[in-house]
Amino acid sequence: VYNRNLPDSVLAFHSNLPFHKGMKMVYIWAVLDIFEKHMPDEKADPEWFGLKNAKIYIRRDDLNHPEIQGNKLHKLKYYIREFYQNNHDGIISFGGAWSNHVAALAAACRMFKMPVTCIIRGERPGTLSDTLKDALTNGVQLHFIGRTAYRNEPENHTGDFYVNPLIIPEGGCGEHGIKGCTEILGTSSDKYRDYICSAGTGTMALGLIRSLAAGSRLHVVPAIKGKGELYATLSNESSVYGIDLFYHDTFHRGGYAKADVQLLNFIRTYYQNSGILLDPVYTGKLFMAIPDLYSTGYLQNKSKVWLYHSGGIQGVRGYETIKDLQIEHVRKHTL
Ligand SMILES: Cc1ncc(COP(=O)(O)O)c(C=O)c1O
C-alpha cells in the first residue's frame, strides 16, 4: 500500500486542509521529509527475469507516493522549497501529453497550493490525455505550443503568466533535481556492488553518481536512442566521483516512448509473476535488459545488485493494450 508509514493526520492534511504561502517553511519541510521515508530494497525472485541465482534487490520507489511518484518525489523537493523560500508567485514547466513530470507537478500544485502553468508539446488535441485531464483537475493551467517551437526554445513561451515565476526545466532536471536525486540511495549507497537505473535527461543518474560510494559500478540503461551528450555528461561525472560507469545503449527498442509487442508482453508477464508494474518508457526497458546484462557478463550471480524502480506508473495509461494493468495496480495499492 502506498505510504504505509504515513499517519492519518498527514493524509488528512494533504487531502483537505487549506495550504498557503504564509505557512511555516518548517512545516512544509516536515511533510516532504515524511514522504521521503526510504522505500525498502525488496529481494526479487530471479525467476521474474528468467534467471536462476541472481541476487537482485529492487528499490520500490513506485510505491513512495501515488502521485508524486518515484524519482519525481526526489526531483521536485528542492524546487518546492525554492518556490516558498524565494517568494515565487507561480511555477512554469514543460512536458508532453503523458509526462510523469507534469503529472507529479500537478499533484504538488494541488497539495502545496502552488499556481502552476505547464507548456505542453504539440497542438491542443481534441481529447486530452488522462495525464493532462488530471493536471487540469489538479488546477494546472495548460499552454500548448507546436512541436517545432517546443523543440527550439520552449523558454521563449513562458509569457506573462506570473510576475516572479520559478521555471522548472522539462523532466525536473537542473541542479535542484540532481540534488534531490542524491537522496535516493540513503543507506544503500555502499551496500551493493552493481547499481542499475534508467535515464532520460540523466538527472537521476547524476544524483546517484554523486551519492554512491567510490568504486561502485553504475549501469545506466537509457530510454533514448544514441550515445551523444547524455553519455558524455555521465561519463565525466563518473570519473570525478570514482564511479565505474556502464552505459548500455541498445535497449531503447526504437527510441524514446516507442514500445513494441515484446516490451508490452514483457510488462504484462512481469506483472503477473511479480505484482510489480513497469512502464513502457523507462522501467519496462530497464527491467527487460536485465537478463542480457547477465548473459553478457556485465552482471554476475555472486554480486549483489540494486535495481531502481523509478515510478512512472501513471504513464501506462497511454498504452491501450496494457492500460488494464494500471487500473488493477491502482486498485490494489490504494487504500
Ligand atoms: C519514471 C521515470 N523513470 C526514469 C526517468 C528518467 O529520469 P532522468 O530524466 O532523470 O534521467 C524518468 C524521467 O524523468 C521517469 O519519469
Side-chain angles (χ1 to χ4, degrees), residues 1-11 30-31 33-40 60-61 63-66 333 335:
V1 182
Y2 288 115
N3 280 311
R4 277 168 278 225
N5 300 322
L6 275 186
D8 286 351
S9 57
V10 174
L11 289 173
V31 172
D33 276 348
I34 289 167
F35 279 134
E36 285 200 331
K37 278 223 158 74
H38 281 110
M39 299 310 290
R60 298 293 309 276
D61 266 1
L63 297 179
N64 64 0
H65 193 275
H333 288 280
L335 287 172

Side-chain angles (χ1 to χ4, degrees), residues 69-72 75 99-101 170-173 181 197-206 220 223 230 256 279 281-283 308-314:
Q69 186 183 95
N71 65 9
K72 301 297 173 281
K75 280 181 167 183
S99 161
N100 294 322
H101 169 65
E170 189 176 28
C173 64
C181 289
C197 72
S198 77
T201 62
T203 310
M204 176 171 85
L206 285 173
V220 174
L230 177 58
Y256 184 72
D279 78 296
V281 184
Y282 298 101
T283 54
Y308 189 47
H309 192 320
S310 49
I313 297 306
Q314 69 84 31

Side-chain angles (χ1 to χ4, degrees), residues 152-165:
N152 293 341
E153 61 249 334
E155 282 79 9
N156 288 355
H157 297 265
T158 48
D160 301 325
F161 298 115
Y162 310 107
V163 177
N164 179 27

Side-chain angles (χ1 to χ4, degrees), residues 13 36 50 102 122 175 215 224 256 281 291 305:
F13 166 77
E36 285 200 331
V102 169
E175 278 306 313
I224 53 171
Y256 184 72
V281 184
V305 171

